[in-house]
Amino acid sequence: MDSPIWATLSAAERSTVDGLIRRDHRIAAVARVREAFPAESRPGLYETLDVVAERYRELGQRFERRPTPPLDLTALTEQVEALPGRTVAFEALWDGDSDGWYVDLIALTDAPVAEYRLATVRHGGDLRLFNGAVPPWPEAREAETVGRALAEQFGVPFHFASPDEPDNDAPRWRTSS
């Protein structure tokens, strides 16, 4: 790897960073590289991200988040049937992490009153925002399609308060119904 930042790291630090990358801990790998340098000579965030991305490639891993596999309605139906209590609604919720937005598909039950995450739908990181690939948000479309199919199958409502844009503060089904 042809990087002065990488070349400056000790063999032990490089091994530690590679271990983090093999476990797909990108943020921890970036932090570890930066922390290996004294504060006054610490590489910038973008330069460090480039180094970590290159290490991902050299180790045969993808730096970008992989899309989740398509949701399987049959498997989700079996999952719902195994839940304790009666399913009273399905809900799609936006959430996010350091890689970007995703949608969780949730089953809500009564007796006990609870919610169960059935699946997480991710179709890429937020770098898509910079290259104009979103909106539309394909993870929202997939979660909505499958959520509606589950709701119809179980005869309960489906709720997705913000299908057109990420909003993790959108009203929830239990508080809006």
Side-chain angles (χ1 to χ4, degrees), residues 3-88:
S3 163
I5 294 171
W6 188 251
T8 304
L9 296 175
S10 69
E13 286 294 336
R14 289 194 302 261
S15 177
T16 299
V17 170
D18 282 351
L20 290 167
I21 290 169
R22 284 187 183 95
R23 292 190 310 277
D24 199 23
H25 296 301
R26 278 176 292 231
I27 301 302
V30 168
R32 186 67 182 232
V33 169
R34 294 191 76 222
E35 291 165 0
F37 289 84
E40 64 276 359
S41 63
R42 189 165 287 155
L45 178 60
Y46 295 112
E47 294 84 7
T48 308
L49 280 167
D50 289 344
V51 168
V52 170
E54 181 60 28
R55 288 306 300 159
Y56 264 80
R57 284 188 289 279
E58 287 199 6
L59 294 171
Q61 293 183 267
R62 290 178 52 150
F63 184 69
E64 277 294 308
R65 277 278 181 220
R66 294 171 193 88
T68 53
L71 296 178
D72 180 342
L73 187 59
T74 303
L76 291 171
T77 299
E78 291 170 4
Q79 202 175 336
V80 171
E81 289 170 343
L83 295 175
R86 182 176 63 94
T87 300
V88 294

Side-chain angles (χ1 to χ4, degrees), residues 79-90 106-116 151 154-157 173-174:
Q79 202 175 336
V80 171
E81 289 170 343
L83 295 175
R86 182 176 63 94
T87 300
V88 294
F90 293 96
I106 308 289
L108 295 102
T109 63
D110 65 359
V113 173
E115 59 182 54
Y116 300 91
F154 286 89
V156 298
W173 179 77
R174 287 197 199 272

